[in-house]
Amino acid sequence: QVQLQESGPGLVKPSQTLSLTCTVSGGSITTNYYYWNWIRQPPGKGLEWMGAITYSGSTYYRPSLKSRTSISRDTSKNQFALQLSSVTPEDTAVYYCARSPLLSTTATSEEYDYWGQGTQVTVSS
């Protein structure tokens, strides 16, 4: 059973960088051919796919966020991470990490087979 767990600060100041880590257990992030995703849900809105890193380390980003987003991994710790720079209050959301067998940019929940529980991040001074 694969388990994902998000961790990171719950409060970030405007203009700073949001940094989250997803720790994976029960399976390796280098296993063919999975994608490891970051998805968020702002209050009152739907799920938004932010980006993904593949089993081989390739990355994909949502075009509207690409200039501010970086996804990386630490295979020795079986973790992958999200950095979102220059945050504003509009980046306030519950942030999820999730696994998918294919590249899925629509954040349709059934396209992801394992999810973390989510972590609330608030951007406020």
Side-chain angles (χ1 to χ4, degrees):
Q1 178 81 357
V2 176
Q3 294 183 315
L4 296 87
Q5 178 68 58
E6 304 91 349
S7 59
L11 180 64
V12 182
K13 293 185 180 338
S15 81
Q16 293 188 342
T17 296
L18 180 160
S19 297
L20 296 174
T21 298
C22 183
T23 300
V24 179
S25 59
S28 172
I29 63 171
T30 61
T31 299
N32 297 346
Y33 296 96
Y34 290 106
Y35 294 77
W36 303 91
N37 302 269
W38 286 101
I39 297 161
R40 67 181 181 179
Q41 186 168 27
K45 297 184 179 180
L47 295 170
E48 178 182 68
W49 179 80
M50 301 181 68
I53 189 164
T54 73
Y55 62 97
S56 62
S58 299
T59 53
Y60 300 84
Y61 298 107
R62 186 180 190 86
S64 61
L65 296 174
K66 186 174 182 179
S67 64
R68 299 196 291 131
T69 307
S70 178
I71 298 175
S72 60
R73 67 179 186 169
D74 185 336
T75 57
S76 68
K77 296 181 179 179
N78 214 34
Q79 296 174 333
F80 62 106
L82 170 73
Q83 289 195 313
L84 182 66
S85 63
S86 304
V87 297
T88 72
E90 286 66 43
D91 294 309
T92 294
V94 177
Y95 285 75
Y96 298 92
C97 54
R99 190 185 81 166
S100 61
L102 298 171
L103 179 62
S104 173
T105 64
T106 61
T108 304
S109 60
E110 57 263 28
E111 295 178 339
Y112 305 86
D113 55 2
Y114 291 100
W115 290 76
Q117 65 183 25
T119 187
Q120 173 70 46
V121 178
T122 300
V123 179
S124 175
S125 55

